[in-house]
Amino acid sequence: MHLLPGLPRSRRAVLGLGLLGTLGGLTACSLRLDVPPDVPTPAALDALRNDVARMLAATEAPTGGGDPADLDALRAAAGPEWAPPSELVTPTSSPTPESYGFADGLSAVTELVLDRLPEVIGGPAGQADSAGGRGLAALVDIAVGAVLALAPADSERAAALGRRLAALPENAPDPAGPGAGAAAPSGSADAEDPEPDDGGPEPDGDPSATPAAPGLEGFVRACYQAAYGYERLAVFHDAEDAYGEFARARITRLDDAAIQGNELRETAGLAAVGNEPAWQLDPAPVDAESALRTATAVEDLVAAAALGLFETPGAEYLGTAQLWMSADARARAGQRQLLRYRITDASTASPAAGGDA
C-alpha cells in the first residue's frame, strides 16, 4: 500500500490510497482528449479507509458521555479523507450524512468495517486475492477503539457491537475452501516485522511456520501464556465479583482461541502447537493489584501476536475478534488503550502492538 503524495505521514497515518495510476502533465503537441480522464478507483481496503475517515470527520464531539480526545485520536489514526481534483469528479449525491452524533458516528464506523470485511479480505480463506494485511489490522484497530470510546456514551450499543466482533470467527468462510493454505499472505514475506512496544513475542523460530500460516504459531503460544496468566491471577479476585468472574471466563476464551489457531494450522498442513506448563509471567501476580498488571501484560502479548493473523489468509476474522477481546479485557483491568497498534515504519505503514495511543 502506498501513501499518497502530500498526505501527512504521522505515526497514525496508517493507510494511503494505493491508486492504480497517477495523473501526469501532457506535453505532446496537438494531443486531443475526447473523453475526460477517469478518477482512479481505489482498492477495497483504500476505499474503506477513506469512508472511515469521512465518517469520523462528520462525527460531532460528545456533549454528554464520551471523550472528545478519543474522537481526535481515531481521526488521526484513520488519516485525512482523500478527494480527487474537483475537475475530475462528476457531482453525485453522497449516501454519507453531513454529520453524525457522537454515538451514531462511532457505531457507524464499526458497523462499516464489519460489513466490509469480506470485501476487503476477498473470497474464501487462503485465496490469493486475500488482501487485508497490516492495513486491515489498522482499520480493525480503529473499529475496536470506536467501541471503547462509545461505551461511556452508549453502553448498550457498545456491548452489542462487542458481541458482534467477538462472534466473527463463527461466521468466517470455510478455511478448507478452494486453495486453502496454499496462498502466500497478503503482506510481503520479506516485509520488516513490527516490533512490539513492551515485550511482545519473538518471531517464530519453528521451521514449520511456513508462509501459509506465518502468524499462527506465535498467536497460539500467546493464548496459552495468557490463559496461564489468568489462571494465576484469578485466585486473587473472588469468583463472585465482576472481575473475578470475567477473569475465569477469559481463560476459556483464550483456550478457544488457541484451538481455533491450531485448527487453521492443521488446515494449512502444519502441526498443532502444544501448550507448555508454567509459562513465565512478568510481572507475576502476588495480590489483587498486581494481578491487574499481569492481566494487562498478557493482553498486550495477545494483541502483539494477533497482528500476524491479519497477514495469514483465513485468520483475519480470528484476528479481528481477538483484537477486540484483548482490548476489552485490558479495559476491564483498568488500563483501557484506545488504539493497540502504532506506526513503526512510515514507508511501509506497519503497525506494531502496544504503544501510547
Side-chain angles (χ1 to χ4, degrees):
M1 186 172 301
H2 304 285
L3 297 174
L4 284 181
L7 291 184
R9 295 191 177 189
S10 69
R11 70 180 183 87
R12 288 272 177 210
V14 176
L15 301 175
L17 292 179
L19 301 179
L20 301 179
T22 57
L23 299 175
L26 298 177
T27 58
C29 297
S30 304
L31 180 62
R32 175 176 176 174
L33 296 178
D34 295 322
V35 179
D38 292 330
V39 177
T41 302
L45 183 64
D46 294 328
L48 177 57
R49 185 216 65 85
N50 197 50
D51 289 342
V52 166
R54 182 184 300 113
M55 282 184 169
L56 288 172
T59 298
E60 299 172 352
T63 56
D67 187 344
D70 287 346
L71 180 58
D72 292 340
L74 293 171
R75 286 171 173 168
E81 178 185 350
W82 180 78
S86 58
E87 62 269 18
L88 300 182
V89 178
T90 301
T92 58
S93 59
S94 172
T96 304
E98 291 185 2
S99 66
Y100 294 90
F102 182 74
D104 288 341
L106 297 184
S107 297
V109 164
T110 301
E111 290 168 355
L112 179 71
V113 173
L114 288 170
D115 290 343
R116 300 259 285 271
L117 276 178
E119 179 184 352
V120 172
I121 293 170
Q127 284 192 353
D129 60 351
S130 180
R134 294 170 177 177
L136 178 59
L139 285 178
V140 168
D141 194 31
I142 292 170
V144 167
V147 179
L148 294 176
L150 172 64
D154 192 331
S155 59
E156 290 186 7
R157 203 174 339 184
L161 289 170
R163 288 192 295 270
R164 186 178 173 190
L165 282 160
L168 273 176
E170 301 171 10
N171 304 319
D174 183 0
S186 58
S188 169
D190 297 327
E192 179 182 352
D193 288 334
E195 297 182 359
D197 279 352
D198 43 9
E202 293 296 324
D204 294 341
D206 186 348
S208 67
T210 67
L216 288 171
E217 180 181 5
F219 173 74
V220 172
R221 291 187 185 279
C223 289
Y224 284 145
Q225 185 169 352
Y228 174 74
Y230 273 98
E231 289 173 357
R232 291 276 304 276
L233 69 87
V235 300
F236 297 104
H237 289 268
D238 194 291
E240 301 302 320
D241 69 36
Y243 188 76
E245 182 180 2
F246 169 78
R248 288 160 176 81
R250 183 69 176 132
I251 296 170
T252 300
R253 283 193 158 187
L254 287 163
D255 286 340
D256 289 343
I259 291 171
Q260 293 175 64
N262 269 331
E263 287 175 346
L264 289 170
R265 279 182 62 85
E266 291 168 357
T267 298
L270 303 175
V273 178
N275 198 354
E276 299 177 11
W279 292 91
Q280 183 176 356
L281 297 177
D282 184 18
V286 295
D287 54 25
E289 183 178 352
S290 62
L292 297 178
R293 292 196 295 271
T294 301
T296 298
V298 297
E299 293 300 349
D300 288 345
L301 189 74
V302 172
L307 181 61
L309 299 182
F310 291 95
E311 297 185 303
T312 302
E316 299 97 336
Y317 294 91
L318 178 60
T320 299
Q322 291 305 310
L323 191 61
W324 157 249
M325 291 183 191
S326 180
D328 178 54
R330 203 181 198 278
R332 289 173 185 264
Q335 296 293 325
R336 191 201 75 160
Q337 192 173 37
L338 186 71
L339 296 165
R340 309 303 304 278
Y341 297 142
R342 68 177 180 84
I343 293 298
T344 58
D345 184 348
S347 65
T348 58
S350 303
D356 53 359

